[in-house]
Amino acid sequence: MISQLNRRALIAWVALVAITAMPFSALAQTQIKYHSNKYSVQDDVKLGRQAAQEAESQFPLLRDETVRSYVEDVGRRLVSAIPSEFQHPEFQYYFKVINARDINAFALPGGPMYVNRGMIEAARTEGEMAGVMAHELSHVALRHGTAQASKGQKYGLLAGIAGIAGTIFGGPGVGQLAQAPFAVYMLKFSREYETEADVLGAQIMARAGYDPRDLANMFRTIEAQGGGGGGFLSDHPSPSDRYARINREAQLLRVNAGVRNDSREFARIQERLRGYQRAPTMAEIQRTGQRSPVGETTGNTPDNPPTGRVSYPSSRYENVSIFNGGVQVSVPNNWRQVNDGNSVWFVPEGAYGQYNGQAVYTHGASFGVAQTNSRNLQSATQDLINGLAQGNNNLRASGGYQRTTMSGRNALFTTLSNVNEATGRPETVRVITTQLRNGQLFYMIAVAPQNERNFENAFQTILQSIRIND
Ligand SMILES: [Zn+2]
């Protein structure tokens, strides 16, 4: 409650300062205008929300409330410094930290922003971090995503988002999607848009009490650290052009209420981040599909294997909607949901963790969709199992295929035996598959140690509860 009060007071204060300073700034600074946009402000909100959901299923968030709320405070300060003509009451700005090493941040239409841990660690000052955030916020405030899509650009935002958030159940267009889960992230804006985001970013910095030159300095910092910068440091315009342009704009701006320079808190946050295990790169995340929560919940040890000591499945079930409502399923209410790459696991406490850098499960059920080349259910299922067996010498078929049903459609059931990677105990893996209307394979994979039969009933109940709406 106290932090809420402080925050409100802070916003009021920043707004007040911004208003009094405006006549001066408005005369001098570069004027920026909206581009034509055939989408509504509500479309921005809706698209951003879908993309955020997708982003959070792809990227591991850093679960550290201290770091997150610090970034949020900086973000709020910047948001309240957005010039009034670029404010949209419909937008909901929020800020989360991704546990990735790349020096980058991205913001989605309508307000969701994701700041990489690597960016916070690389910045030399809070101002440099705020600079990247102000740049990204400017793309959002100027509605660049939907403006670019309005131009009908082939790989524009809407194509990306429709593909992505259409999810696996999105119908046509799903094909491209398989390779495009990162499309939002890799979205490239035109040179003109990048320059606008730099200029408005510098203006927002000044209004929020930061030195706008810190936005320019961040380019130098990124270069000094061997490049990178991802979407933020786009190759057009060149970093040196951007550096010069921002510093030119900075000369036109007056920094409100003196430069904010809270280096102590920033240093404390960086120190805290250094205490964690090295963050993976975006490319590593994409390769392994690994996205266990990292941070306070798992501690900073390299591995945190599952204990395999778990409670019996509760006899009370709760309905859960997964894959953007594409599937409804009931799961024991003492299990929790873990999003792991493209699949969703439901597991009891103690049944999952990290082992040799991989997410490992001892008990639980997972769901996912596989793209296979075969329209025949049995051969598609075999493709899936071959995929599971790759790099796992212990996985063996232990029975043939049996016919069953899932959500009222034909399904196949088969069991495999395995040795759990983390506990070394023999386990039974049940694979149940059916086909979606678009021909993709929907699967449920349930795992428990071989001698723990009390999970069998739970798996049956879960299987019977599945409702697919494709
Ligand atoms: Zn940009």
Side-chain angles (χ1 to χ4, degrees):
M1 204 152 83
I2 286 167
S3 72
Q4 280 305 321
L5 274 176
N6 284 346
R7 189 171 292 161
R8 209 166 292 156
L10 180 72
I11 290 169
W13 178 79
V14 170
L16 185 72
V17 173
I19 288 162
T20 53
M22 217 131 77
F24 175 85
S25 314
L27 282 176
Q29 70 189 19
T30 303
Q31 295 296 306
I32 292 176
K33 295 199 177 71
Y34 286 112
H35 293 265
S36 68
N37 194 321
K38 62 184 182 195
Y39 296 92
S40 70
V41 171
Q42 280 302 342
D43 287 334
D44 281 47
V45 173
K46 209 171 112 199
L47 290 164
R49 201 174 286 156
Q50 289 173 341
Q53 197 174 12
E54 185 60 27
E56 290 183 30
S57 76
Q58 300 290 333
F59 300 119
L61 294 180
L62 182 77
R63 311 234 180 249
D64 182 317
E65 188 46 31
T66 306
V67 175
R68 194 205 59 77
S69 69
Y70 168 74
V71 172
E72 168 106 22
D73 282 349
V74 172
R76 295 264 157 244
R77 199 173 299 134
L78 295 169
V79 165
S80 49
I82 295 172
S84 57
E85 64 268 37
F86 301 123
Q87 281 185 9
H88 310 281
E90 297 89 342
F91 283 12
Q92 288 173 348
Y93 290 96
Y94 65 78
F95 304 84
K96 295 186 179 179
V97 178
I98 293 176
N99 189 49
R101 188 147 45 112
D102 316 51
I103 306 172
N104 205 2
F106 65 96
L108 299 170
M113 185 187 287
Y114 298 87
V115 174
N116 277 8
R117 175 182 151 195
M119 202 272 280
I120 308 171
E121 289 182 292
R124 288 179 310 158
T125 62
E126 180 180 289
E128 290 190 353
M129 178 186 85
V132 176
M133 294 171 71
H135 170 94
E136 297 298 331
L137 274 182
S138 300
H139 282 308
V140 176
L142 294 167
R143 304 186 56 215
H144 277 166
T146 44
Q148 182 150 306
S150 299
K151 291 196 271 186
Q153 202 156 327
K154 199 174 167 196
Y155 297 106
L157 184 78
L158 293 202
I161 289 181
I164 289 162
T167 77
I168 10 237
F169 292 90
V174 164
Q176 299 125 295
L177 221 236
Q179 313 95 316
F182 283 64
V184 161
Y185 177 69
M186 296 191 296
L187 180 69
K188 285 251 188 287
F189 288 119
S190 68
R191 168 193 287 263
E192 188 186 11
Y193 286 13
E194 289 303 339
T195 302
E196 285 175 4
D198 282 343
V199 169
L200 183 61
Q203 295 173 1
I204 290 172
M205 288 281 280
R207 291 165 58 102
Y210 288 104
D211 186 339
R213 288 171 300 186
D214 275 347
L215 168 52
N217 291 337
M218 189 63 185
F219 297 116
R220 296 268 158 99
T221 297
I222 292 171
E223 273 169 356
Q225 306 218 3
F232 167 67
L233 196 64
S234 80
D235 38 15
H236 57 259
S238 77
S240 59
D241 287 350
R242 291 176 69 182
Y243 181 87
R245 179 66 186 88
I246 292 164
N247 281 327
R248 255 201 335 274
E249 187 70 19
Q251 288 174 354
L252 307 174
L253 299 169
R254 192 178 64 187
V255 177
N256 280 324
V259 178
R260 191 191 141 77
N261 195 3
D262 190 353
S263 56
R264 243 195 3 208
E265 197 181 0
F266 184 67
R268 198 168 57 82
I269 292 294
Q270 284 191 321
E271 183 63 39
R272 194 176 168 87
L273 291 176
R274 275 193 286 273
Y276 287 120
Q277 180 192 354
R278 184 182 76 83
T281 63
M282 291 297 213
E284 283 167 353
I285 295 166
Q286 188 173 18
R287 249 196 325 273
T288 61
Q290 169 240 323
R291 68 165 311 288
S292 283
V294 175
E296 286 175 335
T297 52
T298 51
N300 55 9
T301 49
D303 265 336
N304 188 9
T307 62
R309 285 189 298 276
V310 303
S311 312
Y312 288 157
S314 166
S315 56
R316 300 174 73 115
Y317 282 71
E318 62 184 12
N319 284 314
V320 186
S321 166
I322 53 178
F323 301 124
N324 288 355
V327 174
Q328 316 281 333
V329 64
S330 295
V331 294
N333 70 358
N334 62 341
W335 290 11
R336 60 182 289 185
Q337 181 174 342
V338 178
N339 297 325
D340 184 350
N342 292 321
S343 60
V344 178
W345 278 85
F346 293 95
V347 289
E349 211 54 60
Y352 76 102
Q354 288 285 117
Y355 185 73
N356 280 345
Q358 306 258 11
V360 174
Y361 306 83
T362 61
H363 302 70
S366 76
F367 302 92
V369 176
Q371 180 85 53
T372 76
N373 296 323
S374 178
R375 304 232 11 139
N376 170 292
L377 178 58
Q378 183 163 333
S379 57
T381 304
Q382 195 55 50
D383 288 347
L384 174 74
I385 290 171
N386 294 344
L388 293 174
Q390 220 150 61
N392 182 356
N393 299 325
N394 294 315
L395 195 71
R396 302 252 182 284
S398 63
Y401 288 104
Q402 295 167 31
R403 299 205 161 275
T404 181
T405 58
M406 185 194 280
S407 190
R409 47 188 101 185
N410 289 330
L412 285 179
F413 175 95
T414 188
T415 57
L416 311 164
S417 66
N418 189 36
V419 176
N420 189 272
E421 296 80 356
T423 63
R425 290 163 72 186
E427 64 188 9
T428 305
V429 180
R430 301 149 186 85
V431 178
I432 307 101
T433 53
T434 192
Q435 276 174 315
L436 300 176
R437 276 173 215 246
N438 63 15
Q440 288 179 312
L441 191 70
F442 177 75
Y443 62 83
M444 168 177 164
I445 294 177
V447 62
Q450 241 164 47
N451 51 2
E452 293 190 26
R453 304 223 163 258
N454 53 316
F455 276 77
E456 193 62 48
N457 285 336
F459 294 149
Q460 278 302 328
T461 307
I462 292 169
L463 174 60
Q464 281 158 19
S465 74
I466 296 171
R467 293 290 169 268
I468 300 172
N469 328 296
D470 58 337

PDB file of all heavy atoms in Angstrom, residues 95-106:
ATOM      1  N   PHE A  95       5.626  -3.786 -17.157  1.00  0.00           N
ATOM      2  CA  PHE A  95       7.047  -4.034 -17.386  1.00  0.00           C
ATOM      3  C   PHE A  95       7.457  -5.345 -16.737  1.00  0.00           C
ATOM      4  O   PHE A  95       7.212  -5.549 -15.559  1.00  0.00           O
ATOM      5  CB  PHE A  95       7.875  -2.879 -16.808  1.00  0.00           C
ATOM      6  CG  PHE A  95       7.465  -1.559 -17.380  1.00  0.00           C
ATOM      7  CD1 PHE A  95       6.389  -0.853 -16.846  1.00  0.00           C
ATOM      8  CD2 PHE A  95       8.090  -1.052 -18.503  1.00  0.00           C
ATOM      9  CE1 PHE A  95       5.965   0.347 -17.407  1.00  0.00           C
ATOM     10  CE2 PHE A  95       7.683   0.138 -19.072  1.00  0.00           C
ATOM     11  CZ  PHE A  95       6.616   0.846 -18.522  1.00  0.00           C
ATOM     12  N   LYS A  96       8.064  -6.211 -17.529  1.00  0.00           N
ATOM     13  CA  LYS A  96       8.543  -7.474 -16.978  1.00  0.00           C
ATOM     14  C   LYS A  96       9.976  -7.706 -17.442  1.00  0.00           C
ATOM     15  O   LYS A  96      10.397  -7.172 -18.466  1.00  0.00           O
ATOM     16  CB  LYS A  96       7.644  -8.629 -17.421  1.00  0.00           C
ATOM     17  CG  LYS A  96       6.224  -8.508 -16.852  1.00  0.00           C
ATOM     18  CD  LYS A  96       5.370  -9.716 -17.166  1.00  0.00           C
ATOM     19  CE  LYS A  96       3.984  -9.532 -16.558  1.00  0.00           C
ATOM     20  NZ  LYS A  96       3.101 -10.674 -16.843  1.00  0.00           N
ATOM     21  N   VAL A  97      10.689  -8.524 -16.691  1.00  0.00           N
ATOM     22  CA  VAL A  97      12.096  -8.777 -17.003  1.00  0.00           C
ATOM     23  C   VAL A  97      12.240 -10.199 -17.519  1.00  0.00           C
ATOM     24  O   VAL A  97      11.759 -11.141 -16.892  1.00  0.00           O
ATOM     25  CB  VAL A  97      12.981  -8.565 -15.750  1.00  0.00           C
ATOM     26  CG1 VAL A  97      14.444  -8.872 -16.082  1.00  0.00           C
ATOM     27  CG2 VAL A  97      12.828  -7.145 -15.233  1.00  0.00           C
ATOM     28  N   ILE A  98      12.870 -10.339 -18.672  1.00  0.00           N
ATOM     29  CA  ILE A  98      13.128 -11.668 -19.244  1.00  0.00           C
ATOM     30  C   ILE A  98      14.519 -12.112 -18.845  1.00  0.00           C
ATOM     31  O   ILE A  98      15.475 -11.335 -18.894  1.00  0.00           O
ATOM     32  CB  ILE A  98      13.009 -11.631 -20.785  1.00  0.00           C
ATOM     33  CG1 ILE A  98      11.556 -11.368 -21.183  1.00  0.00           C
ATOM     34  CG2 ILE A  98      13.497 -12.935 -21.408  1.00  0.00           C
ATOM     35  CD1 ILE A  98      11.358 -11.221 -22.673  1.00  0.00           C
ATOM     36  N   ASN A  99      14.622 -13.356 -18.438  1.00  0.00           N
ATOM     37  CA  ASN A  99      15.921 -13.869 -18.021  1.00  0.00           C
ATOM     38  C   ASN A  99      16.728 -14.285 -19.245  1.00  0.00           C
ATOM     39  O   ASN A  99      16.915 -15.463 -19.509  1.00  0.00           O
ATOM     40  CB  ASN A  99      15.729 -15.054 -17.069  1.00  0.00           C
ATOM     41  CG  ASN A  99      17.035 -15.483 -16.445  1.00  0.00           C
ATOM     42  OD1 ASN A  99      17.784 -14.645 -15.938  1.00  0.00           O
ATOM     43  ND2 ASN A  99      17.329 -16.771 -16.501  1.00  0.00           N
ATOM     44  N   ALA A 100      17.171 -13.299 -20.001  1.00  0.00           N
ATOM     45  CA  ALA A 100      17.969 -13.570 -21.198  1.00  0.00           C
ATOM     46  C   ALA A 100      19.146 -12.619 -21.215  1.00  0.00           C
ATOM     47  O   ALA A 100      19.075 -11.500 -20.699  1.00  0.00           O
ATOM     48  CB  ALA A 100      17.139 -13.397 -22.458  1.00  0.00           C
ATOM     49  N   ARG A 101      20.242 -13.070 -21.800  1.00  0.00           N
ATOM     50  CA  ARG A 101      21.506 -12.343 -21.735  1.00  0.00           C
ATOM     51  C   ARG A 101      21.619 -11.242 -22.782  1.00  0.00           C
ATOM     52  O   ARG A 101      22.339 -10.268 -22.594  1.00  0.00           O
ATOM     53  CB  ARG A 101      22.659 -13.337 -21.902  1.00  0.00           C
ATOM     54  CG  ARG A 101      24.033 -12.759 -21.677  1.00  0.00           C
ATOM     55  CD  ARG A 101      24.966 -13.780 -21.077  1.00  0.00           C
ATOM     56  NE  ARG A 101      24.845 -15.068 -21.769  1.00  0.00           N
ATOM     57  CZ  ARG A 101      25.795 -15.597 -22.528  1.00  0.00           C
ATOM     58  NH1 ARG A 101      26.919 -14.955 -22.728  1.00  0.00           N
ATOM     59  NH2 ARG A 101      25.630 -16.774 -23.078  1.00  0.00           N
ATOM     60  N   ASP A 102      20.911 -11.381 -23.882  1.00  0.00           N
ATOM     61  CA  ASP A 102      21.014 -10.384 -24.958  1.00  0.00           C
ATOM     62  C   ASP A 102      20.679  -8.996 -24.417  1.00  0.00           C
ATOM     63  O   ASP A 102      19.762  -8.842 -23.620  1.00  0.00           O
ATOM     64  CB  ASP A 102      20.050 -10.703 -26.096  1.00  0.00           C
ATOM     65  CG  ASP A 102      20.050 -12.179 -26.456  1.00  0.00           C
ATOM     66  OD1 ASP A 102      19.897 -13.000 -25.539  1.00  0.00           O
ATOM     67  OD2 ASP A 102      20.169 -12.503 -27.637  1.00  0.00           O
ATOM     68  N   ILE A 103      21.406  -8.001 -24.927  1.00  0.00           N
ATOM     69  CA  ILE A 103      21.148  -6.626 -24.504  1.00  0.00           C
ATOM     70  C   ILE A 103      19.968  -6.118 -25.313  1.00  0.00           C
ATOM     71  O   ILE A 103      20.126  -5.678 -26.446  1.00  0.00           O
ATOM     72  CB  ILE A 103      22.386  -5.743 -24.753  1.00  0.00           C
ATOM     73  CG1 ILE A 103      23.605  -6.360 -24.076  1.00  0.00           C
ATOM     74  CG2 ILE A 103      22.145  -4.332 -24.243  1.00  0.00           C
ATOM     75  CD1 ILE A 103      24.908  -5.669 -24.428  1.00  0.00           C
ATOM     76  N   ASN A 104      18.789  -6.196 -24.754  1.00  0.00           N
ATOM     77  CA  ASN A 104      17.626  -5.825 -25.550  1.00  0.00           C
ATOM     78  C   ASN A 104      16.414  -5.600 -24.674  1.00  0.00           C
ATOM     79  O   ASN A 104      16.409  -5.941 -23.489  1.00  0.00           O
ATOM     80  CB  ASN A 104      17.325  -6.927 -26.578  1.00  0.00           C
ATOM     81  CG  ASN A 104      16.589  -6.385 -27.778  1.00  0.00           C
ATOM     82  OD1 ASN A 104      16.328  -5.172 -27.865  1.00  0.00           O
ATOM     83  ND2 ASN A 104      16.224  -7.251 -28.701  1.00  0.00           N
ATOM     84  N   ALA A 105      15.417  -5.008 -25.281  1.00  0.00           N
ATOM     85  CA  ALA A 105      14.113  -4.835 -24.652  1.00  0.00           C
ATOM     86  C   ALA A 105      13.124  -4.748 -25.793  1.00  0.00           C
ATOM     87  O   ALA A 105      13.491  -4.333 -26.889  1.00  0.00           O
ATOM     88  CB  ALA A 105      14.074  -3.553 -23.837  1.00  0.00           C
ATOM     89  N   PHE A 106      11.901  -5.158 -25.582  1.00  0.00           N
ATOM     90  CA  PHE A 106      10.902  -4.915 -26.627  1.00  0.00           C
ATOM     91  C   PHE A 106       9.569  -4.577 -25.993  1.00  0.00           C
ATOM     92  O   PHE A 106       9.280  -4.987 -24.870  1.00  0.00           O
ATOM     93  CB  PHE A 106      10.790  -6.092 -27.595  1.00  0.00           C
ATOM     94  CG  PHE A 106      10.287  -7.385 -26.988  1.00  0.00           C
ATOM     95  CD1 PHE A 106       8.953  -7.734 -27.055  1.00  0.00           C
ATOM     96  CD2 PHE A 106      11.171  -8.251 -26.360  1.00  0.00           C
ATOM     97  CE1 PHE A 106       8.508  -8.931 -26.508  1.00  0.00           C
ATOM     98  CE2 PHE A 106      10.737  -9.450 -25.814  1.00  0.00           C
ATOM     99  CZ  PHE A 106       9.385  -9.792 -25.885  1.00  0.00           C
TER     100      PHE A 106
END
